[in-house]
Amino acid sequence: FFFLMIRRPPRSTQSRSSAASDVYKRQQRRVHGESLDISKMHACWFLIGLLPALVFSQAPLTVELYYESLCPGCQEFITTSLAKALKAPDLDKMVNVTLIPYGNARERQGSSGWLFTCQHGADECYGNLVETCAINIHPHRTALLFITCLETAVQAGAGFDDGGQSCATKLGLDYTVIKACAVGKQGNDWEHQMGVVTEKLNPAHQYVPWIVVNGKHDPNVEDQVYDDLLGYACKHSSVTIPECDTITQNLRKEKSIFEISKCPREEIIAS
């Protein structure tokens, strides 16, 4: 008899800046879709030659959305592709979605905090703050559900506070906590961090929504995720969920919809 020790190969990781990793970790409060973590496995080879079995963990896709709260293309992705994907209860087992609400904003440091200038004006800056606070205060899936609800309400003409209160009520949340964060120092600091992460993109974003999958920006992949996040994940993730058994990826026939609704980086629409 003799013993053979086989160590499990190291888990692959996505390359990202340390700042992006901090935001990612805050939004991913739990680990999903992992097989049992076995640090090492022992196998005994008998005279007849018994081969050991190897167990590998499966890592979900990572999708990062760099966006701003009043950009039509960003709203369209959040209220359609993302909202549809969130109907799958186990989505997080297959794909980790990270939202970074900053987009084409600019910032400068004032005497009492960071001052933001946003592409679609002060309302957008406030919306970015509200959504940043929701992301940092609430569990990951809850925050995503709140933001999809809020952006749907804003698309329909509601203000961020009215829409935020309505969506918080639906989800059993206290909107006063989110609002207090958005108008306070904590929200200001968190939004600055969203800006730091956005400015560290390599290559730099040229428009929003800017979608990064597994640490890379690819326009063709971005198009597919924009059309159908769940369909893309079902097709490309190493992890599957029951909803994948009946889904076919729904890709738009005309790319012009996305092209028109993009918000270019250097274009300030409102002051």
Side-chain angles (χ1 to χ4, degrees), residues 17 19-20 23 64-68 99-105 191-208 210 265:
S17 69
V23 173
E64 301 163 21
L65 171 66
Y66 295 83
Y67 77 105
E68 55 198 26
L99 302 189
I100 301 94
Y102 184 83
N104 298 319
E191 181 62 10
H192 165 64
Q193 289 303 315
M194 295 296 187
V196 170
V197 173
T198 302
E199 295 304 321
K200 285 183 177 291
L201 278 167
N202 185 16
H205 77 285
Q206 300 301 310
Y207 53 82
V208 290
W210 187 265
R265 184 174 188 180

Side-chain angles (χ1 to χ4, degrees), residues 81 84 224-233 247-250:
S81 185
K84 171 189 171 184
Q224 294 178 59
V225 173
Y226 185 91
D227 288 345
D228 187 355
L229 170 60
L230 181 59
Y232 180 86
I247 195 169
T248 56
Q249 193 173 2
N250 179 27

Side-chain angles (χ1 to χ4, degrees), residues 88-91 93-94 234 240-247:
D90 294 328
L91 178 69
K93 293 181 179 179
M94 185 169 59
C234 286
T240 60
I241 58 176
E243 286 77 6
C244 292
D245 293 339
T246 57
I247 195 169

Side-chain angles (χ1 to χ4, degrees), residues 131-148:
E131 295 180 9
T132 288
C133 286
I135 287 166
N136 282 278
I137 291 172
H138 292 293
H140 179 236
R141 182 176 177 84
T142 301
L144 294 184
L145 290 170
F146 174 80
I147 290 170
T148 56

